[in-house]
Structure formats: structure tokens, C-alpha cells
Amino acid sequence: MVTFWEVLERCGKGQRMQESDYDALLYKSVSKLIEKYDIKFDPGQIVPDDDSLADRAYEAAVELFEQVGFYCLDTKRVVRFSRSEIEERVALAPDTYTWGEGKDRGVTYSRKVEDLRDPSFVASGLGVPVPQDMFVKVCQAIASVPLADAFCGVSLQDTFRGIPIRAGHPVEVAAAIWDVSKRREAARLAGRPGLGLYAMISCAESTAAIIAAAREQFGALPADVTQNGAIAELKVDFARMNKVPWQTESGAGIAGLYGPLMGGYAGGPEGTMLTQIAHFFLGLFAFNADYHIPFPIDLHQVCNSTSPMLWLVSVYSQALARNTHLLNESVSMAAAGPATRMLFYELAAHAVTATVSGANLVAAGIARDKYPERVSTLEIQTASEVGHIVARMGMTRKEANPLVKALLSKYEKDVPDAPLGKKFSEIYDMEKVTPLPEYLKLYESIREELAKLGLNYSLL
Amino acid sequence: MDILKQMAEAVIAGDAEHCVSLAKQAMENNLDPVEVIQQGFSKGMDTVGGKFESGEMFLPEMMQAAEAMKGGVAVLKPAIESTGSGSLTEFGKAVLATIQGDMHDIGKNIVKLLLSTSGFEIIDLGKDVKVAVIIDKAEEIHADVIGVSALMTTTMGYMPELIQELQELGIKEELPVMVGGAPVTEEWAKEIGADGYAKDAVGAVRTAKGLAKK
Ligand code: B1M
């Protein structure tokens, strides 16, 4: 197997080229491959039930990765792998990961297309910034989502001890330590002290901050996971890879994080879908990833709830589920904000699509994943319930397609002007850390609506 | 179809060869090169920008269109320089960077692309660029505008630092700063003393032109 050390050597030896030439090479390669493998987005088939499409997508992605590998920003070199090296690395990758400990343990495992087993579910605020005084309460609310197998909090906003939190600054390290200990406190307050963290730190990303904070004395559990992000598209640098030796030797879980942008360097939904799969290979080679966190988004809408994006999610997930046992923790990214009907629909559509396509679920990026305090829980809970119901009903892709289209018809036209929704403190009783009655009512009414669309809630 | 329309179409199609041959034809016909750029190639690029924003075109296609336009413009350059009828980079030099600690560069790259076809010479310092490096470069080349992008709350904090530093060095007046990126708002830009802000790449062109003209 090509080891991480061999990869590092290749980073110094591969073909040298400018970053912009690599971007052009990627586009040229994906354009040719989508033609060669006859891959075309079909707005009528958001959840295609064509096995051959999924297999062609996988084949094309392997060929893509053979052609373009990944780009190392530090050495300006293209790092390539042969087909047999890719196949061997994929075969040797983990097919399960266990988060947390004790009775709060959660397991994520490799699922198949139309798998009857529940998807694993991560409740997440996905890095949305919140001020220090709300941090624990928001994390507690997230950790309380009943079906969560692991959680991730939010991101600490602005300042720590009155000093602005800045990447690479000493205060980032201090904030990271505080962050981890408060997340663990939040899990305890949620009554789930052993609930695992699927991504340990989100306001801090530097290696120094992560290594400093990921200690049991600060509340990190041994299986809590640290993540390494690839840079779009298919790029890495040593500042991110330099966590790997520590992660590997300390036994910390490693998640690869990839957010390819549809409309960007890989072109449309077809090319971005192939690039998404190729990122899984990048994660194995460059990060030694145990599991993978893909969050493809539309570059303009910063969400993945539109038709082409859900198609992309479905096809890349099917391709991986049919051809590998890689752990695919598919992230839903929504345009609408908390406590809007639209947000519920968007997350439900993603949950149906991803679950029947063989993925596990992470929810969610809310309100285009950038506005402070735009984080909520009952929509996330709905996504977890929908995912479980769909699997337990044995829903097929053929059955999922009209359901997803029915959901899309309720919101897709509103994506460009999606409502921002409410702030967390407007939908939660901040003393009790429970949803306010109005918000609960909205959740109940959405449940009824989803039941009318055919979801069998009695299976929960 | 008149030649200016053909030029616009060639840019939209990203056809560099056609852009070059049309530019040559324009020279042979003694057309005013500045007008040719403004009414021909640039019009095409405006359309491309609009199609990109609406999702009809993708970033690589926009990059190809920009390259095609640059090919055509290169043919016209000697004529512009010899007649002194204007400048290809009438708005001067813009130093661009994604700020220290931040690897999110796609937004900045889109801004760069549009500025580079709108009368700016671009010096792109890349991503994760230290405040001091930005200032040194801007000073060294006498930039007309500095453009910085930040995507994280943990990196936007370097923007006020940049502005303060310029103030302390006494060069803030000469080096207007435009800021942007998802978490940056107009109010915040004002608060930190930035000279300009833009929500998106099309707005960035407008803002940068305004700043460079001052
Ligand atoms: C000079 O004048 C101007 C004028 C206008 C300007 C301008 C400059 N710059 C931009 N504009 C404007 O014009 C552009 C075109 O219209 C627009 O540019 P934008 O850049 O806004 O828009 C792009 C075209 C599309 N949008 C984007 O590219 C960003 C989208 C989101 C989802 C995002 C992505 C895709 C990525 N990410 Co990251 N990422 C998020 C983002 C959430 C969000 N809503 O922004 C954000 C920014 N990321 C975040 C995080 C936490 C991280 N990310 C990371 C990594 C990545 C990827 C590499 C995987 C990928 C980046 C791809 C790339 N090369 O750029 C890591 C950081 C790496 C680093 N050190 O920078 C990491 C730390 C995750 C991790 N733990 O590894 C969050 C920051 C939280 C915070 N504290 O603020 C985040 C808000 C998501 C979240 N909620 O968690 C305008 O803003």
C-alpha cells in the first residue's frame, strides 16, 4: 500500500505546474471523462435508479484521479497514483468507525444503496459562529438531538478573553482548548457524556491548536475525531497534512473534509460529482482518513438542496456505495434559516436522497452556513428521523425520486431568496435549553406533512 | 454581424483564435482600439459575468473567456500605446489577497477574474497572505487599490489590523482598501475603516473602479 510517507515523497517529485494550470487540467479531464462515460444530469431523475450510471461514475472518478491526482500547494507538484494503487488503498480503508464511549457510543459503517440499516447520524452546527455566552447552550441543544450518534458544536465567534480569535494566533490555541472542554460539558448537560465528537474543533483549525486541545484532560475522548480539509479542488498543503503524523501515532480519528463547489473549477454537476468522489481518494492518500465528510455546494447558492446538487449527492454516494466500503458522511447544506418550513423541506430532501443512495448523514449547514447564531435543532432532528424512516421502510431509489421531487417543488424556486429565519435565542428557551412552543408546533406540523407524503413515522 | 458584436460573441465562446483574428481585422480597418475593447470584447465579458452569476456558465468557462479576451487585447495593445489613445489598465494596479490564515480563495479568484478584464492590472498574492506582505507589495508597486478577502470570523480580524497598520505607516490615504468575503458586511467594513466593500464580484469591480479613480 502507498503509505503516507511515500505520499510525502511524491509531493516532492511529481510533475511541477502552476496552480492555475492544474485548475485547467482538472476541467479538461472532467470534461472529457463525463463525455467518455456518458454522464449527464437528468432533472427528471434526481435520485437515479440506474446502477450502470453509478458504476460509470465510479470508473470515471478513478480515471480522473489517475490523471490529475492531487496538487500540493507547497511544492507546486501534481501527486499521482496508479489505478492499482488507488484500488489497493480503497480496499484497505476502514469500513466502520466508533464514536464516543460507554452507552453513548455511536457507530458509523459503510452502507449500501437502498440499505435497510439505519444511516448513522451526526448532529452538527457546522461551524456557525456563536458568541461565547451562548456556546454551551447551543452545543447542548445539538447534543440532545435524540438519534445523534455523534455531534459537533458550533464555532466560537469574535473574541476569547476579549481578544479577537484569529487563525494562527496564540488565542486560537486558547480558544480551541476552551472549545473542546465546553463541548464535552455540553454533552454532559445533554445527559450524554460519552457522545463522540465527529469533528473536534471548528473555530480553530491550525495543527498547533488541535494538538493542544485534543487531550483527555480537556474533555476530548480517545475516539474523538480531528479533521483535515482539502482545498478546492483536489489540493492539499503541508499546513493541513502536518496533522497526520500526530493523528496517526496518537490514534486520533481522522476525517477528511471536502467541499467541492459546483460551478467552480470542476464545472457543472457531472464534473463536480466526479471530483467529489476523487476527493475520497485524496483523503485516503494525503490524510490517512478514517472517514469522509463531503459537503458539495453550489458556488452561488452555497447549499446542496437544489435539483442538480441532490442529483450529485445521490450519484456520488451510489457510486461509492456500490464500488467501495468507504465511509461517506454526507453533509446537508441548506439555503434557508432556522424555524422556516423551507429549512425542514431542504433537510428532508437531502436525508431521503442520501439515505437511499447509501450514505450516512450529517446535518446541517443552515442559512448558507455563514450567519452568526443561525443554528437550530428540530430541523436536524427531522433529518435524522427521515433518514431512519426511509431506511426502515426499505425505500427504493425509484420510490425516493418522486418524494424528493415533491419536496423540491415546495422550496426550490425560493433558494436564491431563501428566508434567513430566526436566531437560536429566538426559538429556544435559553434557561431550560428547550425549543419554544411555536417552534415545536412547526416541527409537529412538518411531521404531519411528511407523513402525508408517505413517511411512516410509526417505524421510529 | 458587425465586428464588435462578433468580438463579444468570440469572448463568450472563449474562442481565443477568433478574438485574435477579429482584433487584427479591426486594426486593418483602422478602428479605434479603445472603443473596440470597450464596445466589443468587454461587452462579451459583461455577458459572461452575468451568465456566471446566474449559473449558466461555470468558472473555467469564464476563465477561458477572460483568456480569449486577453489574447485579442494583446493584439490591440501596441496600437493603444503608440497612439496614446488610452490605457489598457486605465484603473491601475490592484493588489489582491485572501488574508492570513484563510485558504478560501475561490471568491477572491472570481473577483480577480472580473477585475482583470475591467481595466486593472492584478497582482494576486494568493491565499493565506500575511498583512505585512500585502502592505509591502502594495507600497512597492504603488497600488491603486488593495483588495482583501476573508471567509472566516477567525481571519476577518486581520482586516482591521491591515488598515491600522496602513494608518500607522501614514500611507492609508494612498492605498485604499476594499474588503469582501462571506462574513464581511458593509457595516463592519465601515466600522473598521475600510474604503470600500463589495458583496459579490460584480460589485467588487464597481467599488474598485470608484476607489482607484479617487
Ligand atoms: C476584495 O474585495 C472583495 C469583494 C468581494 C469578495 C471578496 C473580496 N471575496 C469574496 N467576495 C465576494 O465575491 C465572491 C463571488 O461573488 C463571493 O465569495 P465567497 O468566497 O463568499 O463565495 C464563493 C464564491 C463560494 N463560497 C465559498 O467558497 C465558501 C463556502 C464554504 C461552505 C466553505 C468552503 C467551500 C470551504 N471550506 Co470553509 N467554507 C465555509 C463557507 C461557508 C460560506 N457560506 O461561506 C466557511 C468559511 N469555512 C469554515 C471553516 C470552519 C473551515 N473551512 C475550511 C475549509 C474549506 C474548504 C477548503 C473545504 C472549502 C474552500 C474552498 C476554497 N478553496 O475556497 C477550513 C479552513 C481552512 C482555512 N484555514 O482557511 C475550516 C476551518 C474547516 C476545517 N476545520 O478544516 C467556516 C468558517 C467559520 C467561521 N469561524 O467563520 C465556514 C463559514 C463554514 C462553516 N460554517 O463552518 C463574495 O463573498
Side-chain angles (χ1 to χ4, degrees):
Chain A
M1 182 180 88
V2 177
T3 63
F4 177 68
W5 310 111
E6 165 70 22
V7 172
L8 284 182
E9 279 184 27
R10 287 191 198 184
C11 285
K13 284 192 205 144
Q15 182 189 0
R16 218 184 131 86
M17 72 170 69
Q18 292 304 318
E19 191 179 348
S20 55
D21 293 332
Y22 182 78
D23 295 333
L25 171 71
L26 172 70
Y27 187 58
K28 216 165 120 190
S29 298
V30 292
S31 304
K32 281 195 183 140
L33 288 165
I34 56 182
E35 221 164 273
K36 176 175 168 188
Y37 286 91
D38 188 24
I39 295 167
K40 186 104 200 80
F41 163 56
D42 171 1
Q45 294 295 319
I46 306 301
V47 186
D49 66 340
D50 175 357
D51 289 346
S52 120
L53 170 64
D55 293 345
R56 293 199 310 276
Y58 186 74
E59 274 306 303
V62 172
E63 200 168 324
L64 173 66
F65 198 65
E66 265 185 291
Q67 286 176 13
V68 304
F70 62 75
Y71 184 76
C72 176
L73 288 162
D74 296 87
T75 60
K76 294 183 183 289
R77 285 176 195 272
V78 184
V79 184
R80 291 192 171 93
F81 304 89
S82 69
R83 169 171 286 261
S84 63
E85 286 170 343
I86 299 167
E87 284 168 355
E88 187 186 28
R89 189 65 188 83
V90 168
L92 292 169
D95 61 358
T96 55
Y97 190 85
T98 303
W99 290 300
E101 61 183 27
K103 65 185 168 78
D104 300 319
R105 252 170 14 112
V107 181
T108 186
Y109 50 87
S110 163
R111 293 180 73 251
K112 293 290 146 212
V113 173
E114 297 172 8
D115 204 319
L116 298 177
R117 294 168 302 166
D118 294 337
S120 66
F121 186 81
V122 173
S124 174
L126 229 71
V128 163
V130 301
Q132 202 170 348
D133 58 359
M134 290 176 60
F135 187 88
V136 174
K137 290 181 179 183
V138 176
C139 291
Q140 179 187 336
I142 292 170
S144 302
V145 171
L147 292 171
D149 296 297
F151 82 116
C152 170
V154 274
S155 191
L156 192 53
Q157 191 185 348
D158 299 339
T159 59
F160 180 73
R161 288 177 185 259
I163 305 173
I165 301 168
R166 275 164 293 173
H169 189 278
V171 81
E172 186 194 18
V173 178
I177 294 172
W178 184 91
D179 182 310
V180 164
S181 64
K182 292 299 167 188
R183 278 171 208 236
R184 187 52 53 210
E185 180 183 329
R188 210 164 44 239
L189 291 169
R192 307 167 92 180
L195 194 66
L197 277 167
Y198 103 115
M200 202 170 321
I201 297 150
S202 68
C203 77
E205 188 233 4
S206 74
T207 302
I210 286 180
I211 294 181
R215 296 169 67 93
E216 279 190 78
Q217 76 189 104
F218 300 136
L221 301 176
D224 280 352
V225 177
T226 48
Q227 63 184 19
N228 300 349
I231 297 146
E233 304 300 346
L234 291 170
K235 294 171 197 164
V236 299
D237 65 359
F238 292 156
R240 264 134 284 276
M241 287 169 85
N242 68 9
K243 288 181 206 122
V244 177
W246 167 79
Q247 287 166 319
T248 311
E249 294 196 28
S250 69
I254 308 173
L257 177 79
Y258 332 112
L261 295 110
M262 202 269 281
Y265 298 121
E270 302 88 356
T272 310
M273 184 270 293
L274 297 187
T275 305
Q276 178 67 85
I277 301 173
H279 269 100
F280 279 65
F281 306 142
L282 172 153
L284 293 173
F285 285 114
F287 300 149
N288 267 351
D290 293 308
Y291 63 80
H292 309 265
I293 312 176
F295 67 104
I297 53 168
D298 175 308
L299 179 136
H300 303 286
Q301 304 302 338
V302 193
C303 71
N304 58 27
S305 57
T306 59
S307 296
M309 292 310 302
L310 289 172
W311 175 87
L312 188 164
V313 167
S314 178
V315 179
Y316 97 74
S317 296
Q318 292 187 42
L320 286 164
R322 284 181 52 79
N323 292 280
T324 75
H325 59 253
L326 298 180
L327 295 168
N328 170 17
E329 315 298 310
S330 177
V331 183
S332 55
M333 305 281 288
T340 60
R341 293 191 89 80
M342 179 168 167
L343 178 58
F344 281 94
Y345 300 144
E346 288 182 273
L347 298 192
H350 176 273
V352 174
T353 305
T355 304
V356 300
S357 304
N360 291 299
L361 305 175
V362 178
I366 292 169
R368 304 188 211 278
D369 198 23
K370 69 170 186 179
Y371 295 99
E373 292 180 53
R374 266 11 192 234
V375 53
S376 52
T377 57
L378 294 178
E379 297 87 337
I380 295 177
Q381 184 172 327
T382 300
S384 69
E385 291 167 353
V386 169
H388 280 66
I389 292 169
V390 160
R392 290 176 191 184
M393 283 172 70
M395 190 179 284
T396 61
R397 289 165 291 176
K398 231 191 184 84
E399 290 162 344
N401 191 51
L403 173 57
V404 170
K405 281 168 76 176
L407 288 163
L408 274 162
S409 71
K410 293 176 187 283
Y411 70 80
E412 193 171 22
K413 63 181 184 323
D414 299 323
V415 166
D417 302 304
L420 197 51
K422 300 203 164 127
K423 287 186 172 176
F424 184 82
S425 54
E426 294 168 333
I427 52 176
Y428 254 72
D429 178 329
M430 295 302 281
E431 281 294 309
K432 296 182 183 159
V433 195
T434 48
L436 289 172
E438 274 300 294
Y439 182 35
L440 265 173
K441 241 180 20 210
L442 176 62
Y443 161 76
E444 297 290 349
S445 91
I446 294 280
R447 246 177 105 123
E448 276 167 32
E449 197 178 338
L450 292 175
K452 279 194 195 125
L453 284 173
L455 290 181
N456 184 354
Y457 270 86
S458 70
L459 292 172
L460 278 184
Chain B
M1 203 192 315
D2 79 42
I3 187 162
L4 297 177
K5 262 212 178 105
Q6 286 183 50
M7 287 175 148
E9 303 265 302
V11 168
I12 296 167
D15 188 341
E17 262 176 47
H18 200 196
C19 283
V20 168
S21 74
L22 287 168
K24 284 182 183 158
Q25 208 179 311
M27 289 291 84
E28 281 157 19
N29 295 345
N30 289 326
L31 298 179
D32 174 3
V34 173
E35 204 185 313
V36 161
I37 292 175
Q38 284 170 354
Q39 301 305 318
F41 292 138
S42 292
K43 283 262 152 44
M45 208 52 216
D46 288 347
T47 306
V48 169
K51 280 180 183 272
F52 173 72
E53 288 297 331
S54 66
E56 284 167 76
M57 270 180 125
F58 307 130
L59 188 52
E61 291 161 337
M62 186 158 84
M63 283 156 68
Q64 204 178 329
E67 281 307 311
M69 171 167 168
K70 281 180 199 159
V73 168
V75 174
L76 304 171
K77 197 175 168 191
I80 293 174
E81 282 167 356
S82 67
T83 58
S85 59
S87 163
L88 286 173
T89 52
E90 56 181 312
F91 296 103
K93 297 174 188 160
V95 167
L96 290 187
T98 298
I99 202 102
Q100 192 164 338
D102 209 320
M103 300 301 293
H104 299 87
D105 64 349
I106 291 187
K108 182 266 295 167
N109 289 348
I110 296 170
V111 170
K112 169 182 155 185
L113 207 60
L114 292 196
L115 285 180
S116 72
T117 53
S118 307
F120 284 91
E121 182 190 338
I122 305 294
I123 298 88
D124 179 9
L125 300 178
K127 43 190 168 273
D128 186 11
V129 187
K130 286 205 160 52
V131 164
V133 173
I134 300 172
I135 294 178
D136 287 352
K137 191 51 151 191
E139 246 197 313
E140 179 196 321
I141 62 152
H142 304 291
D144 296 278
V145 58
I146 297 177
V148 272
S149 178
L151 265 284
M152 303 200 285
T153 54
T154 51
T155 54
M156 59 196 270
Y158 287 114
M159 287 175 163
E161 202 170 283
L162 169 80
I163 289 161
Q164 243 167 3
E165 195 81 11
L166 289 169
Q167 257 156 1
E168 277 168 30
L169 291 167
I171 49 176
K172 168 92 171 23
E173 293 303 308
E174 301 140 46
L175 292 171
V177 177
M178 168 171 75
V179 294
V184 178
T185 61
E186 189 157 18
E187 302 80 71
W188 189 77
K190 276 200 188 114
E191 207 178 290
I192 64 166
D195 304 280
Y197 159 83
K199 186 167 105 352
D200 54 29
V202 174
V205 173
R206 226 176 299 122
T207 306
K209 282 183 177 173
L211 292 176
K213 269 195 175 150
K214 273 188 191 165

